[in-house]
Amino acid sequence: MKARVHITLKDGVLDPQGKAIHNALGALGFGGVNDVRQGKYIELDLAAADPEAARAEVDAMCSKLLANTVIENYAIELVE
Amino acid sequence: MQASVIVFPGSNCDRDVKVALAESAGREPTMVWHGDSELPKSDLIVLPGGFAYGDYLRCGAIAAHSPIMREVVRKAEGGTPVLAICNGFQVAIESGLLPGALISNANLKYICKDVHLRVENVHTCFTAGYDEDEVIRIPIAHHDGNYVADDDTVAELEDENRIVFRYSGPDGTVDDEANPNGSRGNIAGIVNKAGNVLGMMPHPERLSDPVHGGTDGRPIFDTLAGSLG
């Protein structure tokens, strides 16, 4: 089973990289972008077969290491 | 004072701080490898600057889970002074010793230059050698030194006088112009609630000997050596 983890900055936390991307898109003529937020995508190949157990384990991984919950949110998606 | 300097793979200011500590204490600190799980007798623990684990995932995130850090956190909670400089500050935050977070500099640049700091709290075991509101010059060298924290955390830091250094102009003015990296409230260094853990982005060890071109960082090491014997 695979887990896809998306880590994004919480609302209100300044995202200098997102801002730079936004500016660069504007310079390329893409004027229709209201805002850009950059995040991380982590793919985990898991030994666990039980989705519930897998989700609980990935959730613990996120809060302990993969995300800094002071500034980041995370979302977990399990793929068979 | 018997200090221990924690060495992570990617630390690069460990030997600089070793020299500064030896100069002030008259005794060589112990260099402790991150993979060790026991600390030797330590009156002071230093988390040095550098790029522990290549800054992978987030600066300090992986180092914070090194075997030695369990022991560092335990000692810190027991009251042992911990001086966390630059990458060490990031490690201290990631290991929960200090609140908030350090994100990319607002201008996305690695900044390496001397800055001025206003010393806001001289009632710590690190800063008693400075005068209240003294302005000192210390170098910074980082890409991720932009201090962020929520309103409640900042209010608590302010109320408890735990903001130790703020980026300022040479005259002590704290404003946006003097803020090199976008840090909230120009915060450059903070202490924990108990006051025994100091995290700071600037590098006092890099201006601690006249051959460096200045000694504004030296009082930190002298004060620690003086009070810790």
Side-chain angles (χ1 to χ4, degrees):
Chain A
M1 182 180 309
K2 281 193 171 150
R4 297 170 174 166
V5 181
H6 287 268
I7 298 162
T8 49
L9 280 173
K10 286 184 175 172
D11 287 346
V13 175
L14 181 77
D15 179 7
Q17 296 184 91
K19 226 177 195 175
I21 294 166
H22 194 189
N23 289 341
L25 288 172
L28 287 169
F30 296 105
V33 183
N34 292 328
D35 195 16
V36 179
R37 306 283 282 169
Q38 183 182 305
K40 285 190 193 101
Y41 170 69
I42 298 173
E43 204 172 79
L44 304 163
D45 195 343
L46 302 169
D50 172 41
E52 210 165 304
R55 184 172 292 277
E57 196 175 31
V58 176
D59 192 74
M61 291 178 199
C62 286
S63 55
K64 210 167 172 189
L65 177 68
L66 300 181
N68 177 349
T69 53
V70 173
I71 49 168
E72 293 169 330
N73 292 322
Y74 59 86
I76 300 163
E77 187 194 343
L78 294 177
V79 190
E80 293 294 334
Chain B
M1 170 179 74
Q2 185 57 57
S4 291
V5 178
I6 311 299
V7 184
F8 300 98
S11 293
N12 66 5
C13 302
D14 45 328
R15 282 170 291 175
D16 300 47
V17 83
K18 177 187 180 185
V19 171
L21 290 163
E23 278 289 312
S24 292
R27 197 189 308 181
E28 292 278 317
T30 313
M31 308 306 276
V32 182
W33 185 236
H34 74 113
D36 292 354
S37 48
E38 277 182 41
L39 268 173
K41 182 191 167 298
S42 312
D43 303 311
L44 169 73
I45 298 165
V46 178
L47 300 174
F51 301 86
Y53 292 91
D55 283 347
Y56 293 168
L57 190 62
R58 291 179 311 276
C59 300
I62 298 184
H65 296 285
S66 293
I68 198 67
M69 282 308 295
R70 276 194 291 274
E71 192 67 0
V72 171
V73 170
R74 207 174 63 80
K75 295 275 189 203
E77 285 169 355
T80 302
V82 177
L83 173 59
I85 302 167
C86 196
N87 188 218
F89 187 10
Q90 296 163 339
V91 175
I93 281 189
E94 284 283 348
S95 52
L97 286 173
L98 292 167
L102 290 156
I103 65 169
S104 300
N105 294 342
N107 66 2
L108 289 172
K109 290 197 169 94
Y110 181 90
I111 307 169
C112 183
K113 66 173 187 182
D114 286 2
V115 296
H116 291 93
L117 305 175
R118 195 170 76 192
V119 186
E120 305 255 311
N121 180 353
V122 295
H123 306 289
T124 77
C125 60
F126 309 95
T127 53
Y130 295 113
D131 295 325
E132 193 89 51
D133 290 334
E134 184 176 341
V135 178
I136 58 175
R137 181 174 60 94
I138 306 265
I140 54 168
H142 61 246
H143 184 277
D144 292 64
N146 185 349
Y147 185 79
V148 296
D150 59 29
D151 294 348
D152 290 348
T153 304
V154 174
E156 191 179 305
L157 289 172
E158 303 255 9
D159 292 348
E160 296 174 356
N161 201 18
R162 286 163 53 194
I163 299 166
V164 177
F165 300 110
R166 286 188 209 260
Y167 300 108
S168 77
D171 62 351
T173 309
V174 172
D175 57 13
D176 287 346
E177 205 184 322
N179 190 338
N181 54 22
S183 287
R184 186 159 180 186
N186 285 42
I187 291 174
I190 55 170
V191 283
N192 63 341
K193 220 175 190 38
N196 66 309
V197 179
L198 170 67
M200 60 189 296
M201 286 313 294
H203 285 273
E205 77 281 12
R206 293 194 187 178
L207 269 186
S208 59
D209 188 291
V211 298
H212 296 155
T215 56
D216 283 7
R218 173 128 188 180
I220 292 180
F221 303 104
D222 285 349
T223 303
L224 286 165
S227 64
L228 300 172

